Amino acid sequence: MENYMPDYLQGADNVYRTPCFIVKQVMVIQKHKKENNVLTSHDTYYRRTPKRDLAYNLAFQGKRHINGKRLPSNNYTRTYVE
């Protein structure tokens, strides 16, 4: 696993884990001159596998709450990866 960086860590603003998925959040702020600004989360849901869980555990082993949590946003998009 040396020098291995999982897809869900590359370019992520936040990563957290649910019972079935590891979720990568990429946050985008959309600024509008007349309307309210919007915070959008582009989420990629990676199905949990033993290999992905091992890499996740290694990446976040020092965290008090290893599963993390979702950052709130005004809206979101979702993509799923098997």
Side-chain angles (χ1 to χ4, degrees):
M1 295 215 110
E2 190 174 326
N3 296 325
Y4 170 72
M5 179 173 292
D7 291 346
Y8 56 81
L9 292 178
Q10 296 176 22
D13 292 310
N14 185 43
V15 177
Y16 66 97
R17 190 162 57 175
T18 70
C20 297
F21 296 97
I22 295 172
V23 184
K24 170 184 175 177
Q25 283 186 280
V26 177
M27 310 300 280
V28 177
I29 298 173
Q30 297 167 313
K31 297 178 182 177
H32 297 277
K33 290 184 180 184
K34 293 184 179 182
E35 302 295 330
N36 293 329
N37 295 338
V38 177
L39 179 61
T40 301
S41 177
H42 296 287
D43 303 344
T44 305
Y45 283 69
Y46 296 85
R47 183 160 306 281
R48 287 179 66 171
T49 65
K51 182 179 177 181
R52 286 182 181 141
D53 273 346
L54 176 60
Y56 184 98
N57 289 336
L58 289 172
F60 298 108
Q61 64 187 342
K63 291 225 176 213
R64 181 177 296 203
H65 303 288
I66 195 164
N67 288 328
K69 66 179 189 177
R70 178 173 185 75
L71 292 176
S73 62
N74 299 96
N75 53 48
Y76 64 90
T77 64
R78 280 189 183 188
T79 303
Y80 290 88
V81 175
E82 285 299 318

